[in-house]
Amino acid sequence: MEKELQEQYEYARKRIRQKKTFYFHFILFLLGSLFMYVANALMDVGAPTIWYTWAIAGWLFLLILHFIKVYITDRFMNKDWEREQVGKLVAKQQNRLEKIKQKNANES
């Protein structure tokens, strides 16, 4: 019981840390995008360039990947999911071993 509470606490701390990091990444993205836009407007010397849109698009892609990891992947594939998958694999292996034992017993 004590171990389960400790695991739940550690999992909650991990999730909070993940969300905090994502929020920081999002704020940094907003400020960085604004900075790139202003820098492009101030440094526009000749032909209009849209270098900052490519940089922002790339960064947005990374932000979306970060969002998927925090809110989709880690939310559903947590410790309980891992335990369930391990239990299924162990049951499958035990089933195979029983079939092999029965087959060997029938051949003898």
Side-chain angles (χ1 to χ4, degrees):
M1 184 70 171
E2 179 77 24
K3 186 176 180 179
E4 288 179 19
L5 288 174
Q6 181 66 25
E7 284 180 5
Q8 289 175 350
Y9 177 76
E10 289 299 322
Y11 176 72
R13 288 188 64 208
K14 177 186 170 194
R15 291 290 295 153
I16 290 170
R17 190 172 32 247
Q18 285 177 334
K19 289 179 181 181
K20 183 180 174 183
T21 304
F22 173 74
Y23 295 146
F24 178 76
H25 186 184
F26 180 70
I27 297 298
L28 192 63
F29 168 75
L30 291 177
L31 294 174
S33 299
L34 180 64
F35 174 77
M36 284 188 272
Y37 177 77
V38 170
N40 185 63
L42 293 176
M43 290 190 268
D44 195 7
V45 178
T49 58
I50 54 168
W51 61 270
Y52 68 95
T53 56
W54 288 104
I56 291 172
W59 198 352
L60 180 62
F61 177 73
L62 294 175
L63 185 69
I64 291 169
L65 290 178
H66 193 173
F67 175 83
I68 290 170
K69 181 183 183 330
V70 171
Y71 286 100
I72 297 173
T73 306
D74 284 354
R75 184 175 181 185
F76 296 111
M77 294 182 181
N78 55 22
K79 290 286 185 187
D80 294 334
W81 180 83
E82 287 178 19
R83 284 189 197 115
E84 183 181 323
Q85 296 302 313
V86 167
K88 285 180 182 179
L89 288 174
V90 167
K92 197 175 202 181
Q93 289 173 347
Q94 288 176 346
N95 190 13
R96 286 181 182 169
L97 285 174
E98 288 299 321
K99 286 181 181 179
I100 291 171
K101 286 179 183 178
Q102 288 176 358
K103 185 177 179 180
N104 286 339
N106 290 341
E107 289 178 359
S108 299

